Amino acid sequence: MTLADALARAAAQRLDRLDAQLLLGHVLGRPRSWLIAHDSDALPPDAARAYAALCDRRAAGEPFAYLVGEREFHGLALQVGPAVLVPRPDTETLVDWALTLLATEPAGGLADRSSPQVVDLGTGSGAIALAVKHRCPGAEVCAVDLSEAALAVAQANATRLGLVVEFRAGSWWQALPGDRRFDLVLSNPPYIAGEDPHLAALRHEPTLALTPGGDGLDAIRAIVAGAPPHLHAGAWLLLEHGWDQADAVAALLQQAGFEAVATHRDLAGRPRCTGGRWPG
Ligand code: GLN
């Protein structure tokens, strides 16, 4: 069997051609450009078996990132596995907004602090916390998750990337001392509604990270409701949410007393994160 034959077999399984090439490159330890130049080479039997197994898993809907064990997020190579949600490019919108606030929020605000206190609630692979620490090394970053298995993944990513982040286990604010205050709170919580048909396609990822059940807003309600005692005056709270939840999240923030409530759009132009500033 040649490389071209192996790719043709993947096409017959209806695998995306790019996925098939990247999986073959992963098995052979070669870049795509090499595969293209060597497509009449014979594929060694071990590699052929490993490749076929990966193709079968991909065809059964397993995320590509789990098959290769890695996903790039905001310029960082993160290791990922079934204990954590695969980081999405949409979430880079939240990180970019956070970095802008850390750099520019004026007088008495975030940019004035020598070491702004940042927390990522529901960190999963550590994507948000690590991206912020990477780009803003002066920030003191804490990351919380209910799942010990997720925290182990996040901690390993931090160690491998040489980024110092404090990890804490627990549910949202309960993971933190009652008097611990922050300048910036970030979260990509589970927000898919319990009955959303899209959940079927996401069945390989942890349900805990995807949906709180019900209308999908319970985790966001808990984060907003518990926030005030944990916020310095002028702190910002930024939340990722579903494309149709911006108005509901903005209303929750306004009712809780947040000011300057605004929504940012993801790369596809969908309203994806909403946040506000705590008065002071
Ligand atoms: N954005 C993810 C998706 O729709 C969901 C992430 C989440 O619930 N936080 O696939």
Side-chain angles (χ1 to χ4, degrees), residues 85 88 90 188-192 202 209-211 240 272:
L85 191 76
R88 313 287 206 262
D90 293 342
N188 172 20
Y191 54 68
I192 300 176
L202 303 174
L210 290 167
T211 176
E240 181 173 324
R272 181 58 65 189

Side-chain angles (χ1 to χ4, degrees), residues 123-139:
T123 196
S125 63
I128 294 171
L130 295 171
V132 168
K133 182 68 185 176
H134 178 234
R135 295 286 296 277
C136 185

Side-chain angles (χ1 to χ4, degrees), residues 28 71 145 182 229 251:
L28 294 172
R71 168 65 36 129
D145 209 286
F182 296 91

Side-chain angles (χ1 to χ4, degrees), residues 51-75:
Y51 176 66
L54 289 175
C55 286
D56 290 348
R57 288 169 62 189
R58 183 74 192 108
E62 231 180 290
F64 182 87
Y66 291 169
L67 301 180
V68 297
E70 191 175 284
R71 168 65 36 129
E72 193 267 354
F73 179 81
H74 214 277

Side-chain angles (χ1 to χ4, degrees), residues 152-191:
V153 172
Q155 176 67 72
N157 278 321
T159 304
R160 227 167 9 81
L161 295 165
L163 296 169
V164 178
V165 166
E166 177 194 356
F167 292 98
R168 299 186 74 105
S171 176
W172 312 126
W173 298 111
Q174 288 166 34
L176 295 154
D179 58 352
R180 176 91 178 261
R181 289 180 190 267
F182 296 91
D183 301 298
L184 181 58
V185 179
L186 305 170
S187 184
N188 172 20
Y191 54 68

Side-chain angles (χ1 to χ4, degrees), residues 136-148:
C136 185
E140 268 183 44
V141 181
C142 177
V144 165
D145 209 286
L146 182 60
S147 158
E148 296 279 359

